[in-house]
């Protein structure tokens, strides 16, 4: 079966909307085809090698960020705060788990969302298209704002480029230096348990590093001063992915140059659909979200298409079932792929199976459910003899009140609910998550 970067076009998906002016869409795609890649083949290969190590039991993945990035929320502080929070969480996991952590942001491209319904009623009762992410249409609930607008794709590209530029500077320019770990605390993280535990940890690390430096001859300690940080998003809007597909200049292999890591979602992992068709041809490491309703045999059919040579690091399975259904679903899927001899890194997304709607239609998640599903994941991995390879989270460094837990009660949700899509953990909740799961991992 021959593949090309446009071979997905023969297949339909309800998650790729029709444009009122397809010619205008084509024109933007042609423009993007000439723009520089956002990531490079060498970086993609390096990430794949790290993920291959995770699949072999050495290391963890921390993949986190917004449910959906937006144009309105784009500023230096938001990018910095989420980056900083990930540094803190990775530090906790590294210190407690004593294994390297691969940091992957849901960032610099996470602009397109799958929706269960194509339309919804507006305030006037008319049917309007649903919001599909800033790359496609506007959040405002009017027919005009919801019309797919191709210019948004170019804006998403430039925002992704600027975000990556900042992240590359933070990761390599001294900000991520572990000596400064004590200063990474976000200003608003309340004076509670997680903050105290983190301060203690940062002090210990500082001391350890000083001792090591005393033996180091004043060498430059590069590994402790700079880190690698990777980008990722759901490869949902294929016109954008195709326009950013490039060939590796060394080998000629096709690379999705929109992000280091891309994933297919729960709603787009049809082995015969356009998303799987596109992804099978690019060399990037890819994620597959896998929920409790996956038919027996379907994960293996997907892997036959997406990783026929069973290459390590190519596939990360991101399990997401909801706390109540996790145990059964996870053991079934793990057993199936183990029996088929599949090399994969196992991760859990404890967010998307735990969304619920409370008072007056607010979408939220309970930190307790998120922790329960994550601990179940660790327990099931152990019982099935596979390595629990990491966590995929929706969180932000902003002081939001979107998930219930720690200092946020059900009545507080409206105070600072800022997500245009799914509810995210705030910094205190995310730190609590890191300590709790790291503790559970170390008790193994
Ligand atoms: C997401 O990650 O934002 C998402 C929509 O997840 P899923 O495909 O697992 O529902
Ligand atoms: Co989401």
């Amino acid at each position: 079966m021959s593949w090309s970067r446009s071979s997905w076009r023969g297949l339909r998906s309800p998650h790729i909307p029709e444009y009122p002016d397809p010619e205008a869409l084509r024109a933007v795609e042609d423009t993007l085809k000439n723009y520089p890649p956002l990531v490079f083949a060498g970086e993609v290969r390096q990430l794949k090698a790290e993920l291959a190590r995770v699949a072999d039991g050495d290391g963890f993945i921390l993949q986190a960020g917004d449910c959906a990035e937006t144009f309105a929320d784009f500023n230096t502080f938001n990018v910095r705060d989420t980056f900083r929070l990930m540094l803190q969480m990775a530090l906790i996991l590294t210190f407690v788990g004593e294994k390297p952590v691969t940091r992957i942001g849901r960032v610099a491209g996470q602009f397109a969302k799958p929706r269960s319904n194509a339309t919804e009623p507006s305030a006037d009762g008319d049917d309007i298209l649903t919001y599909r992410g800033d790359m496609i249409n506007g959040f405002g609930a009017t027919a005009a704002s919801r019309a797919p607008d191709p210019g948004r794709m170019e804006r998403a590209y430039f925002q992704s480029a600027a975000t990556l530029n900042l992240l590359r500077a933070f990761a390599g320019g001294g900000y991520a230096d572990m000596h400064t770990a004590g200063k990474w605390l976000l200003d608003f993280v309340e004076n509670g348990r997680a903050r105290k535990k983190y301060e203690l940890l940062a002090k210990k690390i500082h001391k350890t590093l000083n001792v090591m430096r005393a033996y180091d001859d004043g060498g430059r300690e590069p590994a402790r001063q700079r880190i690698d940080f990777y980008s990722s998003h759901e490869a949902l809007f294929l016109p954008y992915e195709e326009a950013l597909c490039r060939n590796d200049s060394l080998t000629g292999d096709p690379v999705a140059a929109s992000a280091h890591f891309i994933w297919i979602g729960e709603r787009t992992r049809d082995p015969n659909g356009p998303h799987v068709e596109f992804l099978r041809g690019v060399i990037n490491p890819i994620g597959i979200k896998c929920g409790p309703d996956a038919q027996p045999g379907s994960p293996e059919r997907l892997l036959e298409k997406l990783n026929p040579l069973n290459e390590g690091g190519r596939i990360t399975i991101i399990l997401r079932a909801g706390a109540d259904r996790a145990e059964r679903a996870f053991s079934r899927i793990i057993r199936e792929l183990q029996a088929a001899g599949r090399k994969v890194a196992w991760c859990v997304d404890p967010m998307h199976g735990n969304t619920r709607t409370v008072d007056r239609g607010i979408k939220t998640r309970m930190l307790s459910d998120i922790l329960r599903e994550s601990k179940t994941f660790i327990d099931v991995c152990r019982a099935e003899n596979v390595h629990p390879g990491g966590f995929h989270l929706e969180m932000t460094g902003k002081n939001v009140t979107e998930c219930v837990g720690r200092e946020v009660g059900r009545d507080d949700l409206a105070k600072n609910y800022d997500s245009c899509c799914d509810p995210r953990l705030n910094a205190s909740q995310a730190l609590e998550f890191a300590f709790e799961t790291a503790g559970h991992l170390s008790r193994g």
Side-chain angles (χ1 to χ4, degrees):
M1 282 184 301
S2 69
W3 179 92
S4 79
R5 61 188 63 185
S6 59
S7 52
W8 62 271
R9 287 190 186 263
L11 306 163
R12 296 242 148 269
S13 163
H15 298 288
I16 303 177
E18 302 282 333
Y19 275 63
D21 183 352
E23 284 308 306
L25 176 64
R26 276 292 184 167
V28 177
E29 288 172 39
D30 288 343
T31 306
L32 285 187
K33 282 179 187 159
N34 292 316
Y35 284 170
L38 293 173
V39 302
F40 301 93
E43 300 167 344
V44 163
R45 289 184 203 285
Q46 180 184 309
L47 173 60
K48 212 195 239 181
E50 283 187 34
L51 298 180
R53 284 205 297 276
V54 174
D56 283 341
D58 186 17
F60 297 114
I61 301 163
L62 176 64
Q63 184 173 21
D66 285 320
C67 180
E69 290 171 271
T70 62
F71 299 154
D73 270 345
F74 177 50
N75 63 57
T76 312
F77 303 110
N78 285 343
V79 176
R80 182 201 61 191
D81 289 352
T82 302
F83 174 80
R84 187 158 66 170
L85 185 54
M86 280 187 77
L87 290 187
Q88 292 178 269
M89 296 175 77
L91 193 71
I92 294 166
L93 284 167
T94 311
F95 200 77
V96 181
E98 294 179 36
K99 291 213 161 90
V101 174
T102 297
R103 306 160 199 84
I104 308 176
R106 279 178 68 115
V107 73
Q110 178 54 17
F111 287 101
K113 299 306 300 173
R115 299 310 300 259
S116 311
N117 301 315
T119 59
E120 65 188 6
S122 73
D124 316 330
D126 305 329
D127 260 359
I128 56 171
L129 297 175
T130 42
Y131 172 63
R132 288 179 179 275
D134 272 12
M135 185 184 285
I136 292 166
N137 57 6
F139 188 58
T142 63
S145 139
R146 293 288 170 83
D149 168 5
R152 290 176 161 272
M153 192 158 82
E154 192 173 9
R155 186 160 173 199
Y157 168 86
F158 282 121
Q159 182 167 320
S160 300
T163 303
L164 269 173
N165 183 50
L166 190 60
L167 289 169
R168 288 180 193 280
F170 283 148
Y175 191 82
D177 186 338
M178 282 180 57
H179 290 96
T180 62
K183 300 202 184 83
W184 294 339
L185 273 171
L186 300 168
D187 307 330
F188 63 83
V189 173
E190 104 289 22
N191 216 0
R193 201 165 46 159
R195 184 186 183 106
K196 289 209 183 79
K197 277 207 264 185
Y198 181 81
E199 277 171 350
L200 214 64
L201 180 68
K203 273 198 194 121
K204 266 195 215 164
I205 289 169
H206 193 67
K207 207 165 164 177
T208 313
L209 289 174
N210 282 342
V211 174
M212 285 166 73
R213 189 161 42 189
Y215 283 96
D216 240 15
D217 250 4
R220 262 191 39 83
E221 308 173 86
R224 294 184 286 278
Q225 286 173 349
R226 63 173 305 282
I227 58 154
D228 293 313
F229 192 89
Y230 299 100
S231 63
S232 74
H233 61 260
E234 178 173 353
L236 183 71
F237 191 54
L238 296 178
Y240 179 76
E241 302 303 332
E242 179 187 334
L244 284 179
C245 185
R246 300 285 180 271
N247 288 97
D248 178 353
S249 55
L250 295 178
T251 62
D253 292 334
V255 183
S258 60
H260 300 106
F261 179 103
I262 45 183
W263 76 86
I264 18 179
E266 174 71 0
R267 295 163 194 76
T268 49
R269 61 174 158 71
D270 171 5
N272 300 314
H275 296 88
V276 171
E277 175 57 22
F278 179 78
L279 282 165
R280 83 181 168 91
V282 294
I283 61 158
N284 304 58
I286 58 187
I288 302 173
K289 294 283 201 96
C290 215
D293 300 322
Q295 293 297 311
S298 82
E300 170 55 12
R301 271 199 303 286
L302 263 175
L303 294 204
E304 278 164 13
K305 279 212 155 162
L306 291 169
N307 194 18
L309 302 178
N310 205 15
E311 179 195 7
R314 163 75 168 160
I315 303 287
T316 299
I317 302 278
I318 305 166
L319 297 168
R320 34 87 82 217
D324 293 337
R325 301 174 74 189
E327 186 173 351
R328 270 189 72 172
F330 293 176
S331 0
R332 179 171 64 78
I333 298 165
I334 293 174
R335 275 182 206 170
E336 180 181 322
L337 293 184
Q338 283 288 92
R342 286 290 173 182
K343 277 191 214 153
V344 302
W346 294 101
C347 254
V348 67
D349 161 2
M351 314 300 292
H352 288 88
N354 289 313
T355 317
R356 53 169 97 173
T357 305
V358 293
D359 339 312
R360 297 181 301 281
I362 304 180
K363 256 210 265 183
T364 191
R365 292 161 173 159
M366 309 288 152
L367 179 60
S368 54
D369 290 338
I370 294 169
L371 285 171
R372 191 153 57 91
E373 181 164 359
S374 304
K375 290 179 182 173
T376 301
F377 165 73
I378 296 167
D379 294 341
V380 172
C381 285
R382 288 200 170 127
E384 300 301 334
N385 248 327
V386 302
H387 172 59
F391 307 103
H392 179 117
L393 302 173
E394 288 182 344
M395 57 160 224
T396 170
K398 293 201 320 181
N399 191 15
V400 297
T401 54
E402 297 169 3
C403 292
V404 174
R406 301 289 302 139
E407 74 276 26
V408 183
R410 242 167 119 130
D411 295 338
D412 300 318
L413 289 174
K415 283 188 186 154
N416 194 13
Y417 196 104
D418 203 29
S419 178
C420 67
C421 211
D422 289 336
R424 301 159 295 178
L425 297 174
N426 66 23
S428 314
Q429 293 168 333
L431 285 185
E432 181 76 10
F433 176 91
F435 277 118
E436 283 283 320
T437 48
H440 201 71
L441 280 165
S442 71
R443 281 192 285 277

